[in-house]
Amino acid sequence: ESRISKKTIELRLDPSLANKEVEIYIGNRFIMTARANNVGVVKIKKRKKIGKQIVDGINQERIRVLV
């Protein structure tokens, strides 16, 4: 599940992924590696280049998150 707020994108993952590194893809293209916080949420700033790419991926329903 994802949530887009005014300044950030939140990718809400399963709580079992808390404090784990995940890889974020748009389709088959690798975008970034991130660490989920203590409740399993990855936060990304919307204004950054990667943030804009992730918003586009969410809108196209092409985001994949892998452990």
Side-chain angles (χ1 to χ4, degrees):
E1 178 185 344
S2 60
R3 185 176 142 215
I4 301 174
S5 68
K6 186 175 182 179
K7 293 185 179 181
T8 63
I9 305 158
E10 290 185 0
L11 301 176
R12 296 172 184 250
L13 310 175
D14 190 272
S16 67
L17 297 176
N19 299 313
K20 297 208 174 155
E21 284 194 1
V22 296
E23 295 177 346
I24 300 172
Y25 291 82
I26 297 176
N28 291 326
R29 188 171 52 123
F30 174 77
I31 298 297
M32 67 182 289
T33 299
R35 183 174 297 273
N37 67 13
N38 60 345
V39 292
V41 176
V42 175
K43 292 183 181 181
I44 303 152
K45 292 187 179 186
K46 263 180 31 177
R47 291 187 180 177
K48 301 288 181 180
K49 182 179 177 183
I50 288 177
K52 291 175 183 177
Q53 291 175 355
I54 291 175
V55 168
D56 289 342
I58 290 170
N59 290 337
Q60 297 172 12
E61 298 181 5
R62 297 184 63 217
I63 288 286
R64 293 187 310 142
V65 180
L66 303 175
V67 178

